[in-house]
Amino acid sequence: MPSENKLLRLFSWNVNGLRAILTKGFEDYFKECDADFFCLQETKMQEGQATLDFPGYEVYWNYAEKKGYSGTAIITRHHPISVRQGIGRGEHDTEGRVITLEYEKFYLVTVYTPNSQNELKRLPYRMEWEEAFREYVMSLDVVKPVVICGDLNVAHNEIDLKNPKANRKNAGFTDEERNAFTVLLESGFADTFRELNPETQTFSWWSYRFSARAKNAGWRIDYFLVSRRIMDAVSSAEIHTAVLGSDHCPVSIELNL
């Protein structure tokens, strides 16, 4: 990447199965976005099960050991200095949840945070993950600024979901998960959408049940976070609610860095 400042367009989308969304117009949408970086979560595939051929782009993958589960990818116009799959912790690196690309001025991290699941049966593991992931991105932030994007599987505040009272102790809106997100922000990161849109209630995920999307009974659980010291370089943060094909919609930022 050139050393002078450049306006970068970054997108992130939990596609809930890449092979499925490739049949629903993903390639056309990708071309329309004209993105510098397009990060994907929940690709649900193994190596060789799908190919993405976009001239001028490179693709980096992290696959889960379990077939048809989790997985992440980054499609980029910019060849990185280095690439890391995972966070360097064996107990957390079997599900393909993190990819880090290093550039001259920043790290780009895409993440698919574990869901605490029904009856919160995976909440204890989720809390271990939260601390390990926070330590990882803080170690990067010591070196250079970090851009974190992906499905973080938490609605941080009541404004971030349609029915907060009914969901108070459900996965994605427990006190433990919300507090962990607060601690992450307090460790030096900014929630770009909320910083630029402090009073706006917009969602990025809707359950497939109960016609939730038609009723806009959703949650904002997909994020772009940046190191606090580069928040001023973020000129826009958007949630593309009209884009269909998954139970999530894409989110994006523009970054002058």
Side-chain angles (χ1 to χ4, degrees), residues 170-191:
N170 288 343
F173 199 60
T174 63
D175 292 347
E176 294 91 337
E177 292 162 312
R178 296 169 66 194
N179 289 340
F181 191 85
T182 297
V183 171
L184 177 60
L185 296 182
E186 290 176 347
S187 300
F189 297 95
D191 174 354

Side-chain angles (χ1 to χ4, degrees), residues 141-210:
D141 191 48
V142 171
V143 181
K144 62 184 80 174
V146 184
V147 177
I148 303 165
C149 68
D151 175 4
L152 300 187
N153 257 319
V154 61
H156 186 209
N157 291 312
E158 290 192 354
I159 192 175
D160 295 315
L161 70 168
K162 183 66 174 287
N163 298 306
K165 289 184 174 58
N167 285 289
R168 175 75 190 287
K169 295 184 178 181
N170 288 343
F173 199 60
T174 63
D175 292 347
E176 294 91 337
E177 292 162 312
R178 296 169 66 194
N179 289 340
F181 191 85
T182 297
V183 171
L184 177 60
L185 296 182
E186 290 176 347
S187 300
F189 297 95
D191 174 354
T192 59
F193 182 82
R194 188 54 68 214
E195 292 278 334
L196 296 179
N197 307 277
E199 305 298 330
T200 302
Q201 187 176 58
T202 305
F203 308 125
S204 66
W205 173 79
W206 303 261
S207 170
Y208 281 133
R209 303 170 66 195
F210 310 121

Side-chain angles (χ1 to χ4, degrees), residues 21 35 38 42 45 59 75 77 83 95 99 108 132 134 138 155 177 192 197 219:
I21 209 166
F38 205 118
E42 208 171 356
M45 51 172 278
V59 187
I75 311 167
R77 275 192 173 128
V83 182
E95 297 182 348
I99 302 172
L108 173 61
R134 186 179 70 89
M138 287 178 66
E177 292 162 312
T192 59
N197 307 277
W219 301 47

Side-chain angles (χ1 to χ4, degrees), residues 7 10 26 39 50 62 93 109 120 123 125-126 130 137 143 152 155 163 178 207 225 229 233 235 240:
L7 184 65
L10 299 93
F26 173 78
C39 301
N62 194 4
D93 285 344
V109 179
L120 304 180
L123 183 61
Y125 172 73
R126 166 70 176 265
E130 291 282 359
V137 294
V143 181
L152 300 187
N163 298 306
R178 296 169 66 194
S207 170
L225 311 181
R229 63 187 182 279
S235 56
H240 303 275

